[in-house]
Each structure stands twice: as structure tokens, then as C-alpha cells.
Amino acid sequence: MQNDFFTPEEQKTRQLEGFQNTVRHAYKNSSFYRRIFDENNLRPDDIQNLSDIEKIPYTRKNDLREAYPYGMAAVPLEQILRIHASSGTTGKPIVAGYTKTDLEYWAEGVARICEMAGVKPSDIAQISFGYGLFTGGFGLHYGLEKLGATVVPFSSGNTERQLSLMKDFNTNVLVCTPSFAIYMAEVARELGYDPVEFGLKIGLFGGEPCSEAMREDIEKQWGLKATINYGLTEVIGPGVSGECMQTRGMHILEDLYYPEVIDPESSLPLPAGERGELVLTPLFKEGFPIIRYRTGDITRLIPEKCPCGRTTRRMDYITGRSDDMIIIKGVNIFPSQIEEVLSGFREVSPHYRLVLHKQKGFIKDLEVQVELTQEGFSDSFRELEALEGRIRRHLRSTLSLAPRIKLMEPKSLERTTGKAKRIIESEEF
Ligand code: ADP
Ligand code: ZN
């Protein structure tokens, strides 16, 4: 669609317009932003060009928590047609309300993301994201319908039935978290199928990180093209960015969402192309507008043009989420760093979790539990011990810290039909 092909100048003009409208609307109608602006001696007219937005303070997750449930609303509640909430992994859930226009922009955006990924109106897409307060299910649902695809709204769970309907309905597009795609392949094999027989063509995966190793695994097992998309409830839901068929980073729908990357510690903007915390401003939102939201997600904007010809900038894969950063003995660690080391060992699978052994609230020790593959499984204690030692040494050189390693039997870690829970806390007394 044309919006993805605007020249950078056209894009900037539209972004400024979107920013100014959003700021005016928020100042006039949101008690939260009215206060922020007044406290900072700002008026909507102070935003004359895009660099002026740096005068506006960031909005943080905590602001949204404190506004629970309707404190961020900027329209009367009668105009809100739908409510969603974030999964609430870390504390009180964050609520988002959508007007009719918000829902239309959202569906339009998701449709663009799906089209970029190669989905055609003639395709049959099974949505295996949860339907409910989580934005994943409904977000993809209305986007795919808008595109004209046939939607099978399965929701998450009930894996065997998912598989049998997928076969019966000739589904060729699968929408879910990458962990669920891996789990479904595992169940398909247990039922005696080769997942390739299902004839899936495209995967639209999101909601959680997907390492290159996981992506390769999914593509190989299902014989599909795996694309990744990104979004979050606070900003809209899925459909902020997504991969085109080049699958080298996710194009941001820049006419709808304005991205910035900042240093998470100093909160200062970073030079183009550097990795830091993603800050987003949706440029159309009426219901619960949000300005300069600190997503907590760590990524970078890719400065190079995409070979597909779209002019919208791409963001790199999320390498961490500030919520998930583990600080242990003064060392900062992201689960993705551990995952990357593990993916270099063919003896272990993508199923892992990190147990934080805590004492008096502090992390005393980190334990990496990872499943062996059939290939890595062995009766020889010595072989397993040697493998543990190799993984540990590798982790030590990457993280400057040597966690405990626990090799688990194949299929012993809990599987998920939604987002994988990688971090478990265990308090020791
Ligand atoms: P939460 O998981 O915070 O309760 P959401 O359901 O709104 O709330 O999920 C949004 C979050 O999921 C994002 O902030 C990001 O951390 C993660 N996420 C979404 N898509 C991706 C992706 N493609 N890669 C990595 N992380 C993602
Ligand atoms: Zn592209």
C-alpha cells in the first residue's frame, strides 16, 4: 500500500501532522496529558517540527498502571467500543480503550503487515493467538479480515484439535507465538504426521522474541516462510511493525507510529542505528492516546533501505525487554543472550527456562534449565557432564558469569500455547 512507499519527506510531513493532532487532542481531552503539559510549561503550539517532540516527557509503564483502569481515556466512555489489557506479566494489567476510528486504523495497519508478509486474500489463516483481553487474537483477526483472507478464529490451546482442523480446512497461514508453533510441530509429530504435510505457507509470529535458531527450526519443521511482527497493547496491539518477505527486520508503519530509540539509562536519544529502548507514539489514536511511550523493548532502527523497495524504516528484532533484564552480581543479562549460546549446541533444544534463585530479594544464583534433544540425550553421565561443562564455559565467556546448568529430559519442560514463560523465581530462605 502506498503509505509504505512515501518518500522520507512525505513521511515526515505526515508524521508531524499526526503528532500535532495527537498532542492537541491529548492536551484538550486527557487529564493525564493536560497535567504533564502544564507541569512542563508546554502548549500544543510548541510542537512546530518533529524535533520539538523532544520537549515532551516520556510516558512510562508505571504512569499507565497508575491510571488503571480509565485514567488515560481522552473521549467519553460511550465512544469506547472495545477494551483490551496487556497480559499483565509484571503487575497490574494495563488497560487500553479503542474508539471506532482507532479500531479502523488498527485493522488497516494489521492488514498492511499481513500483506507485507505475503498473505493474499485467497489465503486461509488460522489464528492461534488467544482471543480475549490479549490484543493478539482480535488484532490479527480484524486485520486479516480487512485484507480479505479467510479467518479461522481458533484461539489458543487445544493443540490436537487445532491440528486436525488445520488439515481439514486447508489452512495455509498460521498466526501464533513462535513457541506455540514449535509446540504444535512437536504434537503433530507425536500424532504421526510430518508437519510439512499440513501445507502451511506463511507463519505470522509475534508476541514474544523469536531467535534466528527458533525461526529456522519452525521453517524447517513446517516448510513455511516465517515472518515476525511486533506490537504492544499500550500503543495499539499487534501491527506496529512487521516483516516483508525479505525477512530482515520489521518495517514500522511510520505514518501510524512514530519511533524513537533512546538510551534506557540516560533517557537521551541515540544516534541513528544504535541499539536502545524503543519509544513509540501512535499518530492517530483517539480513545487512549499515548505520547512518547517507553516500551521497555530493546532494538535499533535499521538505517539501510530494504531491498523490497518500501521506504518505511525497519526495526531490528527485540533482543530484550527491560522487564526481563536480570541483574546478577552486578552483571546485566538478557535471556536472549543465553538463548543464543544455547542455540549453538545441537544437543539441546529451544526449550529452556531460567530459574532465579533469590535470597532476601536478591538474585543469588542463576540456573539455566534446558532440554536435551533426542540427539543429545544420553545414558552416559560422563557425556552429559561434559556437555554441561561446555555450555557453562560458553555462557561464562559471553556473560562474564557462569550459571548453573541443568540438562532436562526431552519434553520435560512445560509447553505453552501463548507466550513462553522463560523466567521463574525461586525464593530460598
Ligand atoms: P505484556 O506481554 O507486556 O503483558 P502485550 O501482550 O501487549 O503485553 O505484549 C507486548 C510485548 O510483547 C511487547 O512490549 C514486547 O515485549 C513483546 N513482543 C511483541 N512482539 C514481539 C516480537 N516480535 N519480538 C519480541 N517481543 C515481542
Ligand atoms: Zn522490506
Side-chain angles (χ1 to χ4, degrees), residues 61 85-90 134-135 205-210 228-234 250 295 297 318 321 323 419:
K61 195 165 266 194
S86 75
S87 340
T89 347
T90 42
F134 173 53
T135 47
F205 303 119
E208 63 173 6
C210 180
I228 299 171
N229 58 77
Y230 166 86
L232 65 169
T233 313
E234 298 92 312
M250 304 175 278
T295 63
D297 294 323
I318 311 284
R321 183 169 167 159
D323 296 355
K419 301 189 186 207

Short mmCIF file of all heavy atoms in Angstrom, two decimals, residues 61 85-90 134-135 205-210 228-234 250 295 297 318 321 323 419, ligand 1:
data_model
loop_
_atom_site.label_atom_id
_atom_site.label_comp_id
_atom_site.label_asym_id
_atom_site.label_seq_id
_atom_site.Cartn_x
_atom_site.Cartn_y
_atom_site.Cartn_z
N LYS A 61 5.46 2.91 31.70
CA LYS A 61 4.52 1.85 32.07
C LYS A 61 3.83 2.18 33.39
O LYS A 61 2.64 1.94 33.56
CB LYS A 61 5.29 0.53 32.17
CG LYS A 61 4.39 -0.68 32.19
CD LYS A 61 5.16 -1.96 31.92
CE LYS A 61 5.11 -2.31 30.46
NZ LYS A 61 5.52 -3.64 30.11
N ALA A 85 -6.45 -5.42 27.42
CA ALA A 85 -5.49 -5.21 28.51
C ALA A 85 -4.26 -6.04 28.22
O ALA A 85 -4.33 -7.08 27.57
CB ALA A 85 -6.10 -5.61 29.84
N SER A 86 -3.10 -5.55 28.68
CA SER A 86 -1.87 -6.32 28.45
C SER A 86 -1.92 -7.55 29.33
O SER A 86 -2.66 -7.59 30.31
CB SER A 86 -0.65 -5.47 28.79
OG SER A 86 -0.52 -5.39 30.18
N SER A 87 -1.10 -8.53 28.97
CA SER A 87 -1.15 -9.82 29.66
C SER A 87 -0.87 -9.69 31.16
O SER A 87 -1.15 -10.60 31.93
CB SER A 87 -0.17 -10.80 29.03
OG SER A 87 0.17 -10.40 27.74
N GLY A 88 -0.31 -8.55 31.54
CA GLY A 88 -0.11 -8.32 32.97
C GLY A 88 0.94 -9.22 33.60
O GLY A 88 0.81 -9.64 34.74
N THR A 89 1.98 -9.52 32.81
CA THR A 89 3.06 -10.37 33.30
C THR A 89 3.74 -9.73 34.50
O THR A 89 4.20 -10.43 35.40
CB THR A 89 4.11 -10.61 32.18
OG1 THR A 89 3.55 -10.18 30.95
CG2 THR A 89 4.48 -12.06 32.10
N THR A 90 3.81 -8.40 34.49
CA THR A 90 4.53 -7.73 35.57
C THR A 90 3.61 -6.75 36.30
O THR A 90 3.68 -5.55 36.09
CB THR A 90 5.75 -6.97 35.00
OG1 THR A 90 5.33 -6.33 33.81
CG2 THR A 90 6.91 -7.90 34.70
N PHE A 134 -6.18 -10.03 25.71
CA PHE A 134 -4.93 -10.00 24.94
C PHE A 134 -5.24 -9.48 23.54
O PHE A 134 -6.20 -9.90 22.92
CB PHE A 134 -4.35 -11.42 24.90
CG PHE A 134 -3.16 -11.60 24.03
CD1 PHE A 134 -2.05 -10.78 24.16
CD2 PHE A 134 -3.13 -12.62 23.08
CE1 PHE A 134 -0.94 -10.96 23.35
CE2 PHE A 134 -2.02 -12.80 22.27
CZ PHE A 134 -0.92 -11.97 22.41
N THR A 135 -4.40 -8.57 23.05
CA THR A 135 -4.69 -7.93 21.77
C THR A 135 -4.39 -8.82 20.55
O THR A 135 -4.86 -8.52 19.46
CB THR A 135 -3.85 -6.64 21.61
OG1 THR A 135 -2.49 -6.95 21.97
CG2 THR A 135 -4.37 -5.53 22.49
N PHE A 205 4.28 -14.60 13.11
CA PHE A 205 4.60 -14.88 14.51
C PHE A 205 4.92 -13.59 15.25
O PHE A 205 5.56 -12.70 14.71
CB PHE A 205 5.78 -15.84 14.60
CG PHE A 205 5.54 -17.14 13.88
CD1 PHE A 205 6.34 -17.54 12.81
CD2 PHE A 205 4.46 -17.94 14.24
CE1 PHE A 205 6.09 -18.73 12.13
CE2 PHE A 205 4.20 -19.13 13.57
CZ PHE A 205 5.02 -19.53 12.51
N GLY A 206 4.48 -13.55 16.49
CA GLY A 206 4.75 -12.34 17.28
C GLY A 206 4.37 -12.55 18.73
O GLY A 206 4.01 -13.65 19.15
N GLY A 207 4.46 -11.47 19.47
CA GLY A 207 4.07 -11.51 20.88
C GLY A 207 5.21 -11.82 21.83
O GLY A 207 5.11 -11.57 23.03
N GLU A 208 6.28 -12.36 21.28
CA GLU A 208 7.44 -12.71 22.10
C GLU A 208 8.65 -12.81 21.17
O GLU A 208 8.49 -12.91 19.96
CB GLU A 208 7.22 -14.04 22.82
CG GLU A 208 7.07 -15.20 21.86
CD GLU A 208 7.01 -16.56 22.55
OE1 GLU A 208 6.96 -16.61 23.78
OE2 GLU A 208 7.01 -17.56 21.81
N PRO A 209 9.85 -12.81 21.74
CA PRO A 209 11.03 -12.88 20.87
C PRO A 209 11.11 -14.21 20.12
O PRO A 209 10.63 -15.23 20.60
CB PRO A 209 12.20 -12.77 21.85
CG PRO A 209 11.62 -12.27 23.12
CD PRO A 209 10.20 -12.68 23.14
N CYS A 210 11.69 -14.15 18.93
CA CYS A 210 11.91 -15.36 18.15
C CYS A 210 13.36 -15.30 17.68
O CYS A 210 13.71 -14.46 16.85
CB CYS A 210 10.96 -15.37 16.96
SG CYS A 210 11.13 -16.81 15.90
N ILE A 228 7.95 -12.26 11.19
CA ILE A 228 7.79 -11.81 12.57
C ILE A 228 7.14 -10.44 12.59
O ILE A 228 7.45 -9.60 11.75
CB ILE A 228 9.17 -11.79 13.27
CG1 ILE A 228 9.72 -13.21 13.26
CG2 ILE A 228 9.07 -11.26 14.70
CD1 ILE A 228 11.13 -13.32 13.70
N ASN A 229 6.23 -10.26 13.50
CA ASN A 229 5.64 -8.93 13.65
C ASN A 229 5.64 -8.52 15.10
O ASN A 229 5.79 -9.36 15.99
CB ASN A 229 4.24 -8.88 13.03
CG ASN A 229 3.31 -9.90 13.67
OD1 ASN A 229 2.81 -9.70 14.76
ND2 ASN A 229 3.12 -11.01 12.97
N TYR A 230 5.46 -7.24 15.32
CA TYR A 230 5.63 -6.68 16.66
C TYR A 230 4.54 -5.67 16.99
O TYR A 230 4.05 -4.96 16.09
CB TYR A 230 7.00 -6.00 16.72
CG TYR A 230 7.20 -5.09 17.91
CD1 TYR A 230 7.65 -5.60 19.13
CD2 TYR A 230 6.93 -3.72 17.82
CE1 TYR A 230 7.83 -4.76 20.23
CE2 TYR A 230 7.12 -2.88 18.91
CZ TYR A 230 7.56 -3.41 20.11
OH TYR A 230 7.73 -2.59 21.20
N GLY A 231 4.21 -5.61 18.24
CA GLY A 231 3.27 -4.59 18.70
C GLY A 231 3.05 -4.73 20.18
O GLY A 231 3.59 -5.64 20.81
N LEU A 232 2.30 -3.81 20.75
CA LEU A 232 2.02 -3.89 22.18
C LEU A 232 0.73 -3.16 22.51
O LEU A 232 0.36 -2.19 21.83
CB LEU A 232 3.20 -3.34 23.01
CG LEU A 232 3.57 -1.87 22.90
CD1 LEU A 232 4.58 -1.53 24.00
CD2 LEU A 232 4.18 -1.57 21.56
N THR A 233 0.06 -3.68 23.53
CA THR A 233 -1.24 -3.16 23.92
C THR A 233 -1.23 -1.66 24.17
O THR A 233 -2.14 -0.95 23.75
CB THR A 233 -1.68 -3.85 25.24
OG1 THR A 233 -1.46 -5.24 25.09
CG2 THR A 233 -3.13 -3.58 25.55
N GLU A 234 -0.21 -1.20 24.88
CA GLU A 234 -0.18 0.21 25.27
C GLU A 234 -0.26 1.12 24.05
O GLU A 234 -0.83 2.21 24.12
CB GLU A 234 1.15 0.52 26.01
CG GLU A 234 1.33 -0.24 27.31
CD GLU A 234 2.08 -1.55 27.11
OE1 GLU A 234 1.72 -2.32 26.18
OE2 GLU A 234 3.03 -1.81 27.87
N MET A 250 11.78 -5.60 10.80
CA MET A 250 10.34 -5.35 10.69
C MET A 250 10.06 -3.90 10.30
O MET A 250 10.45 -2.97 11.00
CB MET A 250 9.70 -5.65 12.05
CG MET A 250 10.00 -7.09 12.51
SD MET A 250 9.39 -7.46 14.16
CE MET A 250 10.66 -6.79 15.20
N THR A 295 8.67 1.74 25.62
CA THR A 295 8.15 0.37 25.51
C THR A 295 8.91 -0.62 26.40
O THR A 295 8.40 -1.69 26.69
CB THR A 295 8.27 -0.15 24.06
OG1 THR A 295 9.68 -0.20 23.73
CG2 THR A 295 7.55 0.74 23.08
N ASP A 297 11.25 -2.24 25.29
CA ASP A 297 11.80 -3.21 24.34
C ASP A 297 13.10 -2.67 23.73
O ASP A 297 13.16 -1.52 23.30
CB ASP A 297 10.78 -3.51 23.24
CG ASP A 297 9.56 -4.22 23.80
OD1 ASP A 297 9.74 -5.05 24.70
OD2 ASP A 297 8.44 -3.92 23.36
N ILE A 318 13.74 -7.70 18.62
CA ILE A 318 13.88 -7.27 20.01
C ILE A 318 14.87 -8.20 20.71
O ILE A 318 14.66 -9.41 20.74
CB ILE A 318 12.51 -7.38 20.74
CG1 ILE A 318 11.39 -6.72 19.93
CG2 ILE A 318 12.60 -6.86 22.16
CD1 ILE A 318 11.38 -5.24 19.97
N ARG A 321 13.87 -7.12 26.84
CA ARG A 321 12.78 -6.33 27.33
C ARG A 321 13.26 -5.87 28.69
O ARG A 321 13.71 -6.71 29.48
CB ARG A 321 11.62 -7.31 27.42
CG ARG A 321 10.35 -6.76 27.83
CD ARG A 321 9.29 -7.81 27.59
NE ARG A 321 8.10 -7.38 28.28
CZ ARG A 321 6.90 -7.79 28.00
NH1 ARG A 321 6.72 -8.70 27.07
NH2 ARG A 321 5.88 -7.36 28.65
N ASP A 323 11.99 -5.27 31.32
CA ASP A 323 11.38 -6.05 32.42
C ASP A 323 12.13 -7.35 32.64
O ASP A 323 12.11 -7.91 33.73
CB ASP A 323 9.96 -6.49 32.05
CG ASP A 323 9.02 -5.33 31.86
OD1 ASP A 323 9.45 -4.21 32.11
OD2 ASP A 323 7.87 -5.58 31.47
N LYS A 419 2.54 -17.06 25.16
CA LYS A 419 3.91 -16.58 25.30
C LYS A 419 4.66 -17.50 26.26
O LYS A 419 4.15 -17.84 27.32
CB LYS A 419 3.92 -15.17 25.89
CG LYS A 419 3.16 -14.15 25.08
CD LYS A 419 3.43 -12.77 25.63
CE LYS A 419 2.56 -11.74 24.92
NZ LYS A 419 3.14 -10.41 24.90
P1 ADP B 1 2.68 -7.90 28.02
O1 ADP B 1 3.31 -9.09 27.40
O2 ADP B 1 3.63 -6.80 28.36
O3 ADP B 1 1.79 -8.20 29.17
P2 ADP B 1 1.39 -7.40 25.44
O4 ADP B 1 0.55 -8.60 25.36
O5 ADP B 1 0.82 -6.13 24.97
O6 ADP B 1 1.78 -7.16 26.93
O7 ADP B 1 2.73 -7.72 24.66
C1 ADP B 1 3.59 -6.73 24.15
C2 ADP B 1 5.02 -7.09 24.39
O8 ADP B 1 5.33 -8.35 23.82
C3 ADP B 1 5.98 -6.12 23.76
O9 ADP B 1 6.23 -4.98 24.55
C4 ADP B 1 7.23 -6.98 23.59
O10 ADP B 1 7.99 -7.03 24.78
C5 ADP B 1 6.66 -8.37 23.33
N1 ADP B 1 6.66 -8.63 21.87
C6 ADP B 1 5.66 -8.48 20.99
N2 ADP B 1 6.04 -8.82 19.75
C7 ADP B 1 7.33 -9.18 19.83
C8 ADP B 1 8.31 -9.62 18.88
N3 ADP B 1 8.05 -9.79 17.58
N4 ADP B 1 9.55 -9.89 19.34
C9 ADP B 1 9.85 -9.73 20.65
N5 ADP B 1 8.98 -9.33 21.57
C10 ADP B 1 7.73 -9.05 21.18
#
